[in-house]
Each structure stands twice: as C-alpha cells, then as structure tokens.
Amino acid sequence: MSSALNDFMQEVKAKTAGEAEFHQAVEEVVETLMPVVEKQPEYRKARILERMVEPERTITFRVPWVADNGDVRVNRGYRIEFNSAIGPYKGGLRFHPSVTLSILKFLGFEQIFKNALTTLPMGGGKGGSDFDPKFKSKNEIMRFCQSFMNELYRHIGPNTDVPAGDIGVGGQEIGFMFGQYKKLKNSFDGVLTGKGISWGGSLIRPEATGFGVVYFAAEMLATRGQTLEGKTVAVSGFGNVAWGATIKATELGGKVVTLSGPDGYIYDPDGISGDKIDYMLELRASNQDIVEPYAERFGVEFYANKRPWEVKCDVALPCATQNELHAEDARTLLESGCLCLSEGANMPTTPEAAKLLIDSSILYGPAKAANAGGVSVSGLEMSQNSLRMSWSREEVDAHLHRIMKNIHQSCLDAANKYGMEGSYVAGANIAGFTKVADAMLAQGIV
Ligand code: NDP
Ligand code: 2IT
C-alpha cells in the first residue's frame, strides 16, 4: 500500500471505526484513484476524496410494526444520502437481517461511481433496514413497509432522493412503500423506481440488472473475439439479479448450469432454461431462501453448504451478495480455465479474490460497471415518469444495451488514459470518479 493511501485509510478508519465493509469499498476505489488524484492538484486542494467518503446526510430511524400475533416489533431504518453532485440521490433499499450502517455505506459509496458511469443524471444513495422478510406474512411485510415510509417520506422526492429495490425489496415492497408515500404526500410522484407497469414503472426494470451483467460480459468477451454462444455459465444466487442474468445468458446461447442460495447450490448440466427459469421466481417468492427444491423438482444434484465456483465454467456471474467469492474460489475458477467474470452482486469478491483476478488474464468486470444496468433502467423509469410516457420493451432494452456498451468503452478508455490498459476495475473507478469530482469542483465547497 502506498504511503498516501495508507495515510488516507488511517484517517477514514479513525473516523468510522468498526465499518469494515465501508473500509473495504473505500480502499478498493481509492487505491486505483491515487495516480489520478496525484496528477490533479485541484482535486487535492479541494479535498475531493475526503469529501466523497463523508455522506452528505445519514438518516437513521425507528421502524415499529405489529406482527400478525399482535406482538410489537422494532427495526432500524436507514437512508444514506451520499452524493448529489450530478443528480438526486439514487440507490436501492435493502431489507435483510445483516444490514448495518457499514453495509449501507459501502453500497451507497459504490453507487456514486456506478451511477456516474450510466451517463444518466443520478447521485448516489442507499438505504434499508435490518428487517428480515423471511417467513413473514404479506400483511406483516405491508405493515413494515408502511411504517418504514412513515419516516422516509420526509427525506425523499422525485428531485431529491429516489429509492428502489435491492436484496429483500422487489415489486411487492415498492408497491407498499409507494402507496404509503402517496397517502402521506397526497401526490403521485415518480419517487420510487421498480414500480408496477400500470402505476409508473418501466418495462425491463426487473430484468435490467441481470441483462446488463450479461451484456457487459458479452462486451468483454468480444475484446477477445468471443461470444456467449456455447459457453457454460455458472450463476450464484437465485433472486432478481440471478434470474435476469439467467434469461439473457440463455438467450445469447450460453448454458447456465448453477444457481445458489444460502443453503448450497444446484448443478443442472442440461442448462437452466424455459420453465426452469420461471421456477426461479417461485423459489424466490416462497420467502424460504433455499434452492434445494429446484434439485428435487428437476432431478438434479444439490450440493449443501457449498458455493458454485467449483463447477467448471467459461463465464462466472456472482449474483448473490457481498463477499461471496473467496480467494480459494477465484483460484479454482482460474485453474479450471474460466474466461470471464462479471459481477451481478455488489462487491461479491473478497479483496484477496479480487487481487487474484486482477493479476490474472481473466476478463474481470467489477460490480459498479457490470451491474449498472439495474440503476440505468431506474434512471430510464425516472425519464419516462417526467415525460409522462412509457416506452416499449424494445426501446428500453435498446437503451440499456447501448448504456452497457458505453460503460464498457468508458472503462477501457479511462484505464488506457492512466496506463492501466485492460483493467476494468481501474477504468470503472476512474471514469466514475472524474465525472463526480469535476461536478463537485464546479459547484464549490458545499
Ligand atoms: P434478491 O433479494 O432478489 O435475492 C438475493 C437472494 O440471494 C436472497 O434470497 C438471499 O438469501 C440470497 N443470498 C444471500 N446470501 C447468499 C449467499 N451467500 N449465497 C447464495 N445466495 C445468497 O436480491 P437481488 O437479486 O436484487 O440482489 C442480489 C445482489 O445484486 C445484491 O448484491 C444486490 O446488491 C445486487 N444488485 C441488485 C440490483 C437490483 O436492481 N435488484 C442492482 C444491482 C445490484 P438470504 O436472504 O437468505 O440471505
Ligand atoms: O445496487 C443497485 O444498483 C441497486 N440496487 C439498484 C438501485 C436503483 O436505484 O435502481
């Protein structure tokens, strides 16, 4: 670690003790930015990096709700409004028992750069709660969402902060939160994205993150004259992102052979296509968080408490959660000849695993570039809401495809400009950072 990076990280850690995931995300970004910042005295003078790692605003609040049996429960709600230099705060809400301030700060920090890469005018934010949707009834989820919005509505708005979904927050939860927002504000606003089609949503939004992850993989493969046709694809997770990635990888001629949950992974050598993809939605909607039923239903193997990276594949798409792909998984993938890894989840690889991938010749697409398709279509949903129009599937998909191609090209261009040819990690960080940093410089010390 360079001494400048070391000093910077010491300062960040001293101010944010115990926020391990946030430190991990900051270090990964700042490491690649040091050469850029060192060449630009105005960034240093304006303390751009120091300002970027401090959220503009952090909101935490009590979320009380009543369970079906009459018990009163209390969760903690958060919204981190990280950076609004290039647009309203934008980013998802995560409902999962593992949620902490550190996890949401890491996600909000990454979101700043991801959103800048999309070319759309969106700042960075993230929020959520330690609420666990697992085994909750629909009414319990509704009451929780309403209570969450009873506080959040004061802080959001179509030109201020536009939340969306993430782990544990899909169309159903967005619906309950939108209904409560509308009731409290008496205003039909484009304030959340991921809405239903008949009330302001965009076609392709549910599929968008997964589609984007695969479009990004296809662009990376094209730099080596390859396509997805005939490639074996390993996917982890079985939620929204894994589902979209499985659809698009299959459509482009790949064969997806794995899915995983917290219980283990399934291996389907014939490929997950057709009805099997539809079954993923049933699995997710069951709220039980297990993939084993897939193995029983389709007569394939289930590997308990294991991760899918031990299966030989050409393309790996981690789509479950942070730090799910460890150094030994990266080694296995490299040894078995995997050509390309495109990150669907946010920060799915541990720092040790990321280092192994960066030092190898694998095509490695980091999350803030590879999974930007979800927030891109959220941005397109905002555009449609402002226009009071809706676009066809083909139009939205064409915009998404173009955006993913642009992101891929800007990563390559930024990496080349700073002598880090072919590094998508450096390219994504630099391209996202310079856009936001220049906007901050132009807007003065605020
Ligand atoms: P979903 O809630 O639809 O699905 C996530 C599922 O993955 C949950 O069921 C969760 O189970 C499961 N899971 C958690 N940990 C593991 C694990 N170690 N192995 C396998 N499965 C696991 O969430 P999404 O699909 O929306 O999100 C997945 C990832 O993609 C997250 O990192 C998210 O931040 C990222 N992402 C999402 C976007 C979106 O638009 N939805 C956009 C960009 C990125 P359990 O609850 O039991 O842990
Ligand atoms: O991590 C992400 O980019 C998301 N969860 C989507 C955010 C959004 O505002 O659509």
Side-chain angles (χ1 to χ4, degrees), residues 153-419:
Y153 87 98
R154 296 174 219 286
H155 310 285
I156 61 177
N159 296 312
T160 314
D161 185 353
V162 185
D166 192 79
I167 291 181
V169 178
Q172 171 182 269
E173 293 72 24
I174 294 291
F176 293 149
M177 287 190 274
F178 183 76
Q180 189 70 358
Y181 173 90
K182 187 161 58 66
K183 186 178 168 82
L184 293 166
K185 292 282 255 212
N186 192 24
S187 181
F188 196 106
D189 299 333
V191 73
L192 290 152
T193 58
K195 299 186 290 298
I197 297 305
S198 61
W199 40 281
S202 174
L203 290 164
I204 307 272
R205 176 62 189 89
E207 297 90 335
T209 311
F211 277 20
V213 170
V214 175
Y215 286 146
F216 199 86
E219 289 301 305
M220 291 195 289
L221 286 168
T223 64
R224 304 228 173 126
Q226 306 233 27
T227 68
L228 271 152
E229 186 69 43
K231 299 278 188 302
T232 300
V233 182
V235 171
S236 66
F238 66 103
N240 177 267
V241 179
W243 168 73
T246 303
I247 298 175
K248 187 52 78 178
T250 309
E251 200 179 297
L252 298 185
K255 184 163 80 165
V256 177
V257 293
T258 64
L259 294 177
S260 73
D263 55 334
Y265 78 89
I266 60 96
Y267 173 58
D268 187 339
D270 294 335
I272 300 162
S273 59
D275 292 353
K276 295 172 171 175
I277 298 182
D278 298 339
Y279 182 67
M280 286 174 77
L281 293 176
E282 271 180 59
L283 263 184
R284 186 73 197 89
S286 75
N287 247 359
Q288 294 190 32
D289 276 324
I290 45 174
V291 289
E292 191 173 7
Y294 181 104
E296 286 151 21
R297 168 91 166 238
F298 297 109
V300 302
E301 287 300 318
F302 168 70
Y303 296 89
N305 304 318
K306 291 203 151 187
R307 296 189 290 273
W309 316 120
E310 59 191 27
V311 170
K312 186 171 163 47
C313 64
D314 304 306
V315 176
L317 306 177
C319 296
T321 193
Q322 67 271 358
N323 291 328
E324 56 158 310
L325 198 146
H326 303 182
E328 65 264 29
D329 302 317
R331 264 185 224 106
T332 312
L333 284 170
L334 294 172
E335 278 159 18
S336 66
C338 180
L339 295 169
C340 169
L341 187 147
S342 186
E343 294 184 340
N346 285 308
M347 204 166 76
T349 44
T350 63
E352 299 73 29
K355 185 164 184 350
L356 288 167
L357 298 173
I358 290 167
D359 292 345
S360 75
S361 61
I362 195 170
L363 295 160
Y364 172 33
K368 58 176 84 62
N371 77 22
V375 75
S376 298
V377 175
S378 278
L380 300 176
E381 183 171 327
M382 291 165 73
S383 307
Q384 293 169 80
N385 291 165
S386 300
L387 290 168
R388 303 203 184 279
M389 278 180 69
S390 47
W391 298 329
S392 67
R393 281 185 82 79
E394 291 70 26
E395 282 172 291
V396 179
D397 197 22
H399 277 302
L400 170 63
H401 200 173
R402 181 182 46 80
I403 289 171
M404 295 312 297
K405 279 172 173 268
N406 279 342
I407 295 176
H408 176 265
Q409 193 56 48
S410 17
C411 291
L412 288 183
D413 293 346
N416 281 350
K417 186 168 170 193
Y418 287 92

Side-chain angles (χ1 to χ4, degrees), residues 29-164:
V29 170
V30 175
E31 196 169 19
T32 57
L33 293 181
M34 278 300 167
V36 183
V37 175
E38 266 155 22
K39 276 194 193 150
Q40 308 266 7
E42 59 277 39
Y43 289 160
R44 291 174 72 102
K45 194 158 170 256
R47 298 256 184 244
I48 290 289
L49 276 181
E50 288 80 352
R51 283 158 63 196
M52 268 192 194
V53 295
E54 192 64 42
E56 289 177 18
R57 192 175 298 107
T58 302
I59 302 145
T60 67
F61 49 98
R62 180 206 298 161
V63 190
W65 55 281
V66 183
D68 288 343
N69 66 4
D71 284 356
V72 175
R73 307 274 170 86
V74 186
N75 287 96
R76 184 173 296 164
Y78 304 85
R79 186 72 184 164
I80 321 286
E81 297 184 333
F82 229 117
N83 194 303
S84 62
I86 63 165
Y89 309 107
K90 181 83 195 88
L93 296 170
R94 177 177 290 194
F95 293 168
H96 195 272
S98 65
V99 160
T100 58
L101 182 66
S102 170
I103 290 193
L104 296 180
K105 280 180 68 181
F106 116 63
L107 290 162
F109 183 69
E110 296 247 301
Q111 200 81 40
I112 303 170
F113 307 102
K114 184 194 305 193
N115 293 1
L117 286 171
T118 66
T119 67
L120 302 171
M122 299 181 290
K126 198 83 188 187
S129 174
D130 56 0
F131 173 73
D132 187 357
K134 204 190 269 191
F135 302 126
K136 299 290 187 301
S137 72
K138 193 170 170 174
N139 279 332
E140 288 177 324
I141 290 176
M142 181 178 75
R143 287 194 292 272
F144 174 81
C145 289
Q146 291 173 337
S147 179
F148 187 83
M149 190 49 84
N150 284 344
E151 176 60 34
L152 189 68
Y153 87 98
R154 296 174 219 286
H155 310 285
I156 61 177
N159 296 312
T160 314
D161 185 353
V162 185

